[in-house]
Amino acid sequence: MLSYSKDQRKFVLLMLLPAFGMTAAFFLWPTIYNIKNSFTDLSLLGLREGGKWVGLDNYIALFNDSDFKKVVFNTLFWLTFVSVSIRLVLGFAIALFIESQLVRRLRLTVPLRMAALLPWATPDIVAVTVWKQIFDGRTGVINNKLLEWGFIDQPIVFLGDPSYVWPAVITIIVWNGLPIIVLTMAAALQTVPRDLYEAADIDGAKSWTKFWHVTFPHALPALAVLGLLTTIWTFNNFIYVWMSTSAGPGTFSNVLATEVYLQAFVNFKLGLSSAIGTFMAALAMVFGVIYFRYVVTKRFGGLM
Amino acid sequence: MTDIAMNPPAVKRRKRGLTRKHSPVKTTAAIVLSVLLIFFFASPVVWIYWASFKPSASLIGSGTQDLVFTFENYKNVWKNDFGRFMFNSLFICGISVIISTSVAVCASYVLSRYRFAHKKWLFGFLVLTQIFPWIVMMTPLFIMFAKFDLINNHFALMFCYVTITLPFSIYLMVGYLEALPIDLDEAALMDGCSRFQTMRHIILPLLAPGIVATATYSFLLMWTEFLLAIALLTKTSLKTLPLGLALFFGEETVDWGAVMAASALTTLPALLLFLPVQSRLIAGLSAGSVKG
């Protein structure tokens, strides 16, 4: 740390002010406004009149609503838990495969990494667009092939059929989000000290033992950070569900992010939408606290 | 000395490892798995570019095998204002990136070099803004900007883009700054550089690779941002690329050829910018600092 005298404090302040002033203006005011609205019955059509104070009514309505419970379940289970678990497990497995002796010897490591970069560089909105075409009920590649090969007689509307919609949405998310795990874990695997493997070889360790006692402990911190970040991003994501299914069929694949939007801009119930938003932000905050305690403090603890 | 003494056996061992015979079954399985993985990752992207050159009609039904190529789709999206959207995106993202990165450099320099009270709270605040669901901001921002008559104003969107990219830019940059020894700053200050000169002339040139990576990532985030843009821009001529892409989905029919050409045009700059900085981003990512 550099030392500085009292009158030089203004340098420090001056450097910090633009960044923190702007972020505070951008985040604090809307957050407070949002919380305030969540206690009113404000409507999008009655913005000028403003809303009437209704106390906790919006929140009580939410917690008594079984549809809302389903929305929370969809968000936490399907959108977040399932898609994140699949990405972490598959991503780590693929990273191990890419970095394995055999794949190296076959010189397939670089082509595999290059291929994995493509989905990562694809914007989420484009990812949904192209997969929508692949899954399309009338013109999609998958349906055409399945019909051609005689597996099905009727095309399947993947993104419009309750029994297929979540697997289809999760496929899109996994395609777009798997590479970041694969490539980061592959990089993490390269940092495992070689001599540990050599020592294990001398001790006559089996490959499973080597994985469990050398590779896994070394990869775990990176995997944990990635798991946490992926969870937060996916929980917050609006694009995947909205662009692929518009929360449908009906409201079958509705999640918190799309519910905030639907209540505000389709049902015009800004008060209720704000309550949902506040609830969603509070849930995200739980992840935020974990992230701060276990990732940020660990990494930048020396600076604080 | 120890290095020289240690190396030969290590090299020998590695060599033996490399020439070790893997069973043909395992080798075949690895090749098949690799091909499947490459197919899974690459085919949708290849499909975007392939389909963007196919006549729209041939994308419907199973007529995609015939080798007819056309620029029709690109002409089509161009006629529908796509050039305009691209210009808007370049203008908004370009200016926002410059502001965001400069502001982030200042803040992260001070955060990494100076001790002051409540720094922990500043880091905490950065984390908070990083994990905050943007969808929740949409309504309040819309109302706020409407009050000041800033809907359909590119500068309002730039303000948003600067602030949403600031937290992780600072975070990423603090990480890169940590790799530069503080002795450099101390020596410069000792030699009579002012505090600002030290940052500008000593640290900034050394930080350049980190700045490039951070700026690129911010740019990509803004380039593909959809939510804030759709809330704040309602006039077609002011829209950005992602909104333009969404415009090609009609209510009933979708012109897939045009959609694919629009997707191709949206993805290309992202691909070109992303590939050179990806290894640097991976390094920053395992430190937990990138927004996806």
Side-chain angles (χ1 to χ4, degrees):
Chain A
M1 292 287 132
L2 298 174
S3 57
Y4 58 100
S5 64
K6 252 198 179 136
D7 56 299
Q8 282 164 329
R9 271 202 355 226
K10 63 172 191 291
F11 171 76
V12 172
L13 265 173
L14 215 67
M15 293 277 115
L16 290 174
L17 197 66
F20 285 91
M22 282 173 91
T23 354
F26 183 78
F27 283 97
L28 287 183
W29 189 83
T31 308
I32 293 164
Y33 189 73
N34 207 59
I35 294 174
K36 197 195 99 197
N37 281 345
S38 73
F39 298 112
T40 68
D41 63 353
L42 187 67
S43 154
L44 190 67
L45 304 172
L47 275 180
R48 232 168 265 277
E49 301 92 276
K52 205 167 72 256
W53 181 267
V54 294
L56 285 171
D57 280 8
N58 285 326
Y59 291 95
I60 292 166
L62 281 181
F63 291 109
N64 290 328
D65 181 1
S66 61
D67 285 345
F68 185 68
K69 284 193 188 107
K70 204 181 148 235
V71 170
V72 176
F73 174 77
N74 280 346
T75 314
L76 292 178
F77 182 73
W78 286 112
L79 180 69
T80 311
F81 177 74
V82 175
S83 87
V84 171
S85 316
I86 292 178
R87 272 177 286 173
L88 287 181
V89 172
L90 267 185
F92 189 34
I94 296 171
L96 284 168
F97 175 70
I98 288 182
E99 292 297 317
S100 71
Q101 284 271 324
L102 179 55
V103 173
R104 277 179 184 285
R105 201 169 53 96
L106 292 168
R107 298 185 193 291
L108 285 168
T109 307
V110 177
L112 276 164
R113 276 210 214 125
M114 293 311 259
L117 280 171
L118 292 173
W120 190 6
T122 306
D124 49 6
I125 182 163
V126 174
V128 175
T129 307
V130 64
W131 277 94
K132 241 180 135 162
Q133 214 260 331
I134 293 171
F135 280 141
D136 195 275
R138 273 173 306 170
T139 64
V141 177
I142 295 187
N143 271 310
N144 282 338
K145 290 294 164 208
L146 287 177
L147 285 168
E148 203 180 300
W149 295 332
F151 287 115
I152 49 171
D153 313 317
Q154 285 293 315
I156 302 167
V157 188
F158 287 100
L159 290 164
D161 183 331
S163 34
Y164 293 100
V165 66
W166 274 118
V169 172
I170 288 169
T171 307
I172 302 175
I173 302 176
V174 167
W175 180 78
N176 200 204
L178 188 61
I180 197 170
I181 314 269
V182 170
L183 293 167
T184 316
M185 288 318 294
L189 286 175
Q190 284 171 353
T191 65
V192 182
R194 294 287 131 201
D195 39 339
L196 286 179
Y197 289 116
E198 280 159 17
D201 277 337
I202 292 166
D203 290 345
K206 291 260 173 8
S207 37
W208 172 250
T209 326
K210 274 192 284 186
F211 170 76
W212 197 242
H213 290 282
V214 180
T215 316
F216 191 67
H218 268 90
L220 195 59
L223 198 63
V225 171
L226 278 174
L228 199 54
L229 284 173
T230 324
T231 303
I232 296 168
W233 299 335
T234 314
F235 176 83
N236 285 345
N237 191 291
F238 169 80
I239 301 286
Y240 286 133
V241 171
W242 184 252
M243 296 303 288
S244 62
T245 70
S246 308
T251 54
F252 186 83
S253 62
N254 203 2
V255 290
L256 282 171
T258 47
E259 180 69 358
V260 170
Y261 182 88
L262 284 171
Q263 290 300 353
F265 296 103
V266 177
N267 296 344
F268 302 141
K269 292 180 181 164
L270 281 187
L272 188 63
S273 163
S274 302
I276 299 165
T278 308
F279 175 73
M280 189 182 172
L283 273 182
M285 209 75 77
V286 176
F287 300 123
V289 171
I290 303 173
Y291 178 59
F292 186 70
R293 284 217 45 172
Y294 295 100
V295 181
V296 183
T297 342
K298 217 181 207 165
R299 173 136 169 74
F300 294 125
L303 297 176
M304 293 182 197
Chain B
M1 273 312 274
T2 41
D3 262 8
I4 296 165
M6 296 278 289
N7 258 341
V11 168
K12 230 188 227 163
R13 249 203 303 280
R14 204 163 298 150
K15 239 187 191 158
R16 219 185 298 141
L18 278 174
T19 49
R20 194 177 66 201
K21 280 263 178 345
H22 287 95
S23 72
V25 180
K26 264 191 174 173
T27 311
T28 320
I31 293 173
V32 171
L33 189 57
S34 302
V35 170
L36 285 177
L37 278 174
I38 291 173
F39 180 78
F40 175 66
F41 285 140
S43 60
V45 177
V46 173
W47 173 251
I48 295 173
Y49 286 92
W50 171 267
S52 73
F53 289 108
K54 306 290 288 178
S56 247
S58 80
L59 292 173
I60 298 164
S62 48
T64 39
Q65 277 84 2
D66 49 334
L67 286 167
V68 187
F69 287 97
T70 169
F71 284 98
E72 209 48 49
N73 299 321
Y74 286 93
K75 275 189 211 148
N76 211 346
V77 294
W78 199 258
K79 264 197 305 228
N80 282 296
D81 265 354
F82 218 66
R84 180 89 228 161
F85 302 145
M86 200 169 236
F87 173 79
N88 289 341
S89 269
L90 278 175
F91 175 67
I92 294 172
C93 302
I95 292 183
S96 310
V97 150
I98 295 171
I99 300 173
S100 160
T101 313
S102 333
V103 172
V105 167
C106 293
S108 51
Y109 177 73
V110 171
L111 281 171
S112 87
R113 279 348 194 212
Y114 290 90
R115 190 185 302 284
F116 49 88
H118 311 307
K119 205 198 248 180
K120 199 172 185 172
W121 290 102
L122 290 186
F123 271 102
F125 179 67
L126 285 182
V127 168
L128 220 68
T129 53
Q130 241 180 319
I131 57 113
F132 202 84
W134 296 350
I135 181 83
V136 178
M137 318 275 301
M138 249 179 96
T139 333
L141 279 175
F142 179 79
I143 296 170
M144 182 167 96
F145 283 126
K147 260 184 193 151
F148 295 105
D149 202 18
L150 288 170
I151 301 294
N152 284 322
N153 184 324
H154 277 171
F155 292 100
L157 195 62
M158 283 181 205
F159 170 74
C160 295
Y161 282 4
V162 170
T163 42
I164 58 170
T165 51
L166 266 178
F168 78 87
S169 289
I170 295 175
Y171 205 91
L172 205 60
M173 213 92 80
V174 172
Y176 293 128
L177 270 165
E178 259 197 309
L180 301 175
I182 199 158
D183 310 357
L184 291 169
D185 306 67
E186 279 162 358
L189 287 173
M190 204 90 92
D191 288 347
C193 278
S194 76
R195 278 163 207 277
F196 187 76
Q197 281 171 334
T198 308
M199 181 183 96
R200 169 72 189 79
H201 296 293
I202 309 296
I203 298 302
L204 216 59
L206 295 170
L207 192 62
I211 294 178
V212 171
T214 312
T216 311
Y217 206 70
S218 305
F219 186 86
L220 291 177
L221 205 74
M222 299 167 180
W223 184 257
T224 59
E225 203 286 327
F226 184 76
L227 266 183
L228 293 166
I230 205 168
L232 298 182
L233 304 174
T234 53
K235 222 190 250 166
T236 309
S237 66
L238 293 175
K239 288 190 171 178
T240 55
L241 268 188
L243 300 185
L245 177 59
L247 280 182
F248 286 101
F249 283 98
E251 284 295 313
E252 286 301 313
T253 52
V254 179
D255 178 357
W256 282 115
V259 169
M260 288 300 153
S263 299
L265 288 172
T266 311
T267 312
L268 192 63
L271 268 174
L272 293 180
L273 281 173
F274 183 78
L275 295 182
V277 297
Q278 45 91 12
S279 61
R280 220 158 240 291
L281 285 174
I282 290 172
L285 190 77
S286 39
S289 48
V290 176
K291 173 108 182 133

